[in-house]
């Protein structure tokens, strides 16, 4: 089930309009979690242009929601998140999209990638999945 969901994540970044809005929302959510005046943002190399196009509006939205000054966001152009998974190299590190934000000193990191979110949801729903699977077997 998790592998199937992971494959579906690849479709999320396929629609630039929706993915751009999602990236903005992920950045704002990350900023709200970190509550830092200056952060480092990492994304996939393929997403740099989309991220750059939403940075200003994400900063403004965060500042309005948190009632603070807009943060300084440094987009890391030296280290990128891994590229999307491919069937050519199944065991390579990969990232389906999203962002990772960190405090400037690197002590606080918030991973808000699609893969990380899938892992969280899967762990949260594991008891429900077990119950569904094993109650059907027992019946």
């Amino acid at each position: 089930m998790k592998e199937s969901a992971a494959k579906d994540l690849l479709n999320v970044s396929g629609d630039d309009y929706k993915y751009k809005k999602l990236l903005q929302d992920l950045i704002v959510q990350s900023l709200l979690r970190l509550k830092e005046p200056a952060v480092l943002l990492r994304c996939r190399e393929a997403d740099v242009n989309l991220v750059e196009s939403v940075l200003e509006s994400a900063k403004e939205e965060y500042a309005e929601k948190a009632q603070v000054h807009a943060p300084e966001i440094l987009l890391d152009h030296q280290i990128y998140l891994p590229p999307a998974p491919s069937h050519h190299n199944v065991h390579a590190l990969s990232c389906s999209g999203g962002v990772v934000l960190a405090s400037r000193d690197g002590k606080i990191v918030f991973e808000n990638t699609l893969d990380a979110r899938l892992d969280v949801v899967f762990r949260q729903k594991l008891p429900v999945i077990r119950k569904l699977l094993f109650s059907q077997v027992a019946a």
Side-chain angles (χ1 to χ4, degrees), residues 16-84:
D16 277 357
Y17 178 76
K18 288 180 182 175
Y19 186 52
K20 185 175 171 177
K21 174 66 176 132
L22 176 63
L23 284 170
Q24 179 175 332
D25 292 344
L26 293 173
I27 293 168
V28 171
Q29 182 184 50
S30 301
L31 291 169
L32 288 167
R33 281 305 210 35
L34 288 175
K35 295 184 175 142
E36 291 285 319
V39 297
L40 177 69
L41 184 150
R42 288 189 176 138
C43 63
R44 299 182 308 179
E45 192 170 7
D47 295 340
V48 167
N49 290 336
L50 286 174
V51 168
E52 286 176 335
S53 73
V54 299
L55 270 185
E56 285 306 313
S57 51
K59 287 196 278 190
E60 290 170 15
E61 183 180 341
Y62 164 73
E64 186 179 312
K65 285 183 176 184
Q67 300 291 304
V68 296
H69 291 290
E72 180 185 340
I73 301 176
L74 176 66
L75 182 57
D76 192 336
H77 287 282
Q78 295 177 350
I79 300 174
Y80 296 103
L81 299 180

Side-chain angles (χ1 to χ4, degrees), residues 126-139:
L126 205 52
V128 175
I129 294 168
R130 279 193 195 116
K131 186 177 179 183
L132 287 171
L133 288 174
F134 294 116
S135 67
Q136 289 176 355
V137 172

Side-chain angles (χ1 to χ4, degrees), residues 89-102:
N89 194 353
V90 179
H91 300 293
L93 284 176
S94 63
C95 176
S96 298
V99 294
V100 173
L101 273 73

Side-chain angles (χ1 to χ4, degrees), residues 34 36-41 101-110:
L34 288 175
E36 291 285 319
V39 297
L40 177 69
L41 184 150
L101 273 73
S103 58
R104 283 292 172 88
D105 60 9
K107 291 182 180 178
I108 307 169
V109 177
F110 187 67

